[in-house]
Amino acid sequence: MLEPASGAASGSPDTIEFDHVPETDQAFENALAKARDGERLSVEDGVALITTGSDVDGIDTDRKERVLEAADRRRAEVVGEEVTFVANLNNNVTTACNTGCLFCNFKDTAANFESDSNVDHAGFTKTLDESREVVRDAVDRGVSEVTSVSGLHPGLALDDEHHEILRSFDNPASDVNYKPPEQYETPPGTYIEQMRAMSVGGVHLHSMTPEEAYHANRGTDRSYETVYRRLADAGLDSAPGTAAEILVDEVRDVICPGKIDTGEWIAAMEGAVAAGLPVTATMMYGHVENERHRVLHLDRIRRLQDRTGAITEFVPLSFIYQQTPLYERGIVSGGASDAEDELLIAVSRLFLDNVDHIQSSWVKFGDEKGLKLLNCGADDFMGTILSEEITKRAGGSYGEFRSFADYVDMISAIGRVPVERSMDYEECRRLDPDANPVGPVLGPRADGTPLLS
Ligand SMILES: C[S@@+](CC[C@H](N)C(=O)[O-])C[C@H]1O[C@@H](n2cnc3c(N)ncnc32)[C@H](O)[C@@H]1O
Ligand SMILES: Nc1c(NC[C@H](O)[C@H](O)[C@H](O)CO)[nH]c(=O)[nH]c1=O
Ligand SMILES: N[C@@H](Cc1ccc(O)cc1)C(=O)O
Ligand code: SF4
C-alpha cells in the first residue's frame, strides 16, 4: 500500500497501489552537491532533489530554493540569458477519438461524428481545404511553424494502401479501430493528405505524435521509420513527443489504458529520428503519479537522448484537471502545486544534462508562473500558437495566443533577452525591445510586422 504522506504529490490519490514509491536512501545534501558539481544524477539523486529529501515531510522550502538556484545556475551555464519562443500556429485537425484517456477532455466520442448520428457535439474535423487555408493564413501573417496534433479518428489511415489493409480485417472496428471514412459527416482525409495540406509555403510542419504514428501504422507490420519516412516525404519536418504522459506503465495503466505503452512510445520516437526528424519530448505530470515516476520518466528521456541526440527541447505539461474524467470521477483532487511545478522544471534541467532547452509553457502555467519558471531552470517560453483547444477544453484559462509584443515585454521585464527561434533552434534571432512594431522574421513570409493585429 502506498503511503501518501512523505513526498506524495499534491492532488494525487492515496488509494492506488504502485510498485514505485517516492522514497530514497540518498541524502538530499549529497544529491545537491552532485547537481552543483555538474555530475550526472542517478534516479536516487533525482528523487532526493524532487522530494527535497526523504527525511522531511512534504517539501522543505529552504531546500527547494537551493534546488531552484542550482538549476537556474545550470541554465545560465548551458544557454546563457536568452529566452526563446517560436512564431507558430496550433492546428488540430480532428477531435474525434476513442482512446479514452482519463486526463483528456479534448476528445469527442468518434461515433457522434458519423453521418447517421443524431447526437449533438462540440467536436470538429477540418477538411483538407480548411486545414490548408488556416495554415496558409498563419504563414502569410508570419509563423515559421505549424504544430498539429489530433484525435485518433477511426476513419484516418496513412494512405490509400493503408485503408485497403484496414478494410480487409474481419471486424475492422474492433480489430483495428477502423471505420471507412465515407461513414463520417466530414471525412478526415489520410495522414499523408493532411501533411501535404499543412505543409504550405515553406512552413515547418511539427506533427504526428508517437500515438498518431501508431494509429497511422495499425494493422500493419511496418516499422515506425517507414511510416515517418512516408510522412516526411509528404512534408512532415519534425515530431512532437507528446503522448508521453508518464513513461512508467503502472501509471499509464491508470490514466491512459488505451494508449501505447512506454516501450512502443520509445520505439516510435526512435523511428521518427531514424527517418531524419528532430523531435521534442514531454511529460504530463501532476495527476496520479508520484515523484519517483517523474524521475523514472526523466531517466527514460535521458537514455533516449543519449542514443539519438535528436530531442530539441523538453516540455513539461502540468496537468490541467478541472474538466477531466480523472477529477470528475474523484480519482484526483487537483493538479500539481506551485512548488511541485518549480521542482519539476528545476530537476528536469539538472537531470537532463543532454537536453539543452527546457520549456516553460504559458498555456499551462499562465504568464506569472511561466516567468517564474524561467528562473528555475527553463529557457524557452513556448510559442504564439494563435489557437488552443487541449488546455481550454480541460478547464485552462490562460488564453490561446501571445503576441511578439507580449513576449518582448515579459522577457525584458525579468532581465533576460527575447529571441525568436525556429522549431529546431537552428535559427535564432535576438529581438530589439525598443523596436516598434516587433514581429516575427524567421517564417517564410515573415517581415517583422506583428502576427496579430
Ligand atoms: C490531446 S493529445 C492529442 C494528440 C494525440 N491524440 C495523442 O494523444 O498523442 C496531446 C497531448 O495533450 C496533453 N494533454 C491532454 N489533456 C491534458 C490535460 N488535461 N492537461 C495537460 N495536458 C493534457 C497530453 O500530454 C497529450 O499527450
Ligand atoms: N507547451 C505547449 C506547446 N509547446 C509546443 C511549442 O509551441 C512548439 O511547437 C514546440 O516548442 C516546437 O517548436 N504547444 C502547445 O500546443 N501546448 C503546450 O502546452
Ligand atoms: N499539444 C500539447 C503540447 C505540445 C505540442 C507540441 C510539442 O512539441 C510539445 C508539446 C498540449 O497542448 O498539451
Ligand atoms: S490524449 Fe490523445 S489519444 Fe488520449 S483521448 Fe485525448 S486525443 Fe485521444
Side-chain angles (χ1 to χ4, degrees), residues 171-390:
N171 296 300
S174 53
D175 294 347
V176 281
N177 186 18
Y178 178 75
K179 286 197 181 175
E182 310 80 72
Q183 218 158 307
Y184 293 90
E185 200 169 320
T186 309
T190 65
Y191 280 115
I192 292 291
E193 287 171 328
Q194 281 186 23
M195 297 302 113
R196 291 210 179 102
M198 289 188 281
S199 178
V200 291
V203 77
H204 178 110
L205 177 55
H206 180 62
S207 187
M208 299 303 295
T209 75
E211 193 70 36
E212 293 178 290
Y214 172 80
H215 199 61
N217 208 13
R218 68 198 190 284
T220 85
D221 54 11
R222 293 180 191 139
S223 69
Y224 282 108
E225 179 182 348
T226 304
V227 171
Y228 274 113
R229 273 193 195 284
R230 291 189 188 183
L231 292 161
D233 287 345
L236 181 66
D237 294 299
S238 63
T242 56
E245 323 316 356
I246 294 286
L247 292 169
V248 182
D249 287 335
E250 66 175 0
V251 175
R252 303 179 81 74
D253 289 346
V254 177
I255 64 167
C256 50
K259 262 199 154 121
I260 55 176
D261 67 12
T262 300
E264 195 77 14
W265 187 89
I266 289 169
M269 290 285 278
E270 290 190 324
V273 176
L277 301 175
V279 294
T280 58
T282 67
M283 174 195 315
M284 193 199 60
Y285 66 96
H287 38 84
V288 308
E289 88 294 354
N290 64 44
E291 288 84 344
R292 180 170 291 275
H293 296 126
R294 295 176 191 174
V295 179
L296 287 170
H297 180 107
L298 292 177
D299 191 47
R300 276 151 204 182
I301 299 296
R302 191 172 69 184
R303 287 169 194 268
L304 177 64
Q305 181 72 330
D306 276 343
R307 293 195 299 277
T308 64
I311 300 173
T312 57
E313 61 175 0
F314 181 63
V315 185
L317 302 168
S318 199
F319 175 50
I320 308 295
Y321 66 89
Q322 287 87 343
Q323 294 168 26
T324 65
L326 279 180
Y327 180 66
E328 284 163 356
R329 296 182 199 171
I331 302 169
V332 302
S333 57
S337 66
D338 288 351
E340 287 178 62
D341 285 329
E342 291 164 8
L343 281 163
L344 193 284
I345 293 272
V347 174
S348 300
R349 168 61 74 187
L350 293 168
F351 197 92
L352 297 176
D353 53 12
N354 53 5
V355 178
D356 285 348
H357 304 288
I358 308 288
Q359 186 179 114
S360 170
S361 166
W362 59 254
V363 78
K364 306 292 189 218
F365 301 119
D367 293 342
E368 199 182 330
K369 202 202 293 191
L371 289 169
K372 161 85 208 227
L373 295 172
L374 291 169
N375 289 321
C376 302
D379 69 303
D380 181 71
F381 209 12
M382 207 182 113
T384 53
I385 68 173
L386 304 178
S387 131
E388 209 289 327
E389 293 292 335
I390 300 169

Side-chain angles (χ1 to χ4, degrees), residues 95 107-124 185 393:
T95 60
K107 60 179 186 277
D108 294 290
T109 309
N112 300 342
F113 290 66
E114 293 179 29
S115 311
D116 59 4
S117 163
N118 299 317
V119 182
D120 273 350
H121 66 96
F124 59 83
E185 200 169 320
R393 286 169 169 233

